[in-house]
Amino acid sequence: MLIEQKRRTKNLMQDELAFNCNLTRKAISNIETDKNLPSLPLLVKIANELDMNGYELLKEGCFLKDCC
């Protein structure tokens, strides 16, 4: 998934991204493995931490149901 790829590119551990987004490591893991979908504000927060914008993450991450 795109979030995991971008996180790894930035050399961030799940714990670090989770801390920066006020989440648990498990929450990040669940988002990365498509077990949970983040809310829009959370998606924007994650995108910002990964040096992306929210739309880019929505589009490339295929969170929009019709894009896949």
Side-chain angles (χ1 to χ4, degrees):
M1 171 172 233
L2 183 63
I3 292 174
E4 181 180 8
Q5 292 170 355
K6 293 289 187 177
R7 177 180 57 77
R8 288 180 185 270
T9 299
K10 288 193 64 172
N11 294 317
L12 283 174
M13 301 294 290
Q14 284 181 337
D15 289 335
E16 294 171 297
L17 180 58
F19 178 81
N20 293 343
C21 295
N22 297 319
L23 297 171
T24 63
R25 184 208 54 81
K26 184 67 175 168
I28 293 294
S29 175
N30 286 342
I31 292 168
E32 288 183 349
T33 58
D34 292 330
K35 291 180 182 172
N36 289 32
L37 290 176
S39 65
L40 188 55
L42 180 54
L43 189 72
V44 170
K45 190 177 229 181
I46 291 170
N48 289 337
E49 288 297 323
L50 298 175
D51 298 325
M52 302 175 71
N53 66 51
Y55 179 74
E56 181 182 15
L57 188 55
L58 270 173
K59 184 179 171 196
E60 291 183 31
C62 225
F63 288 104
L64 301 172
K65 295 288 184 197
D66 295 333
C67 76
C68 298

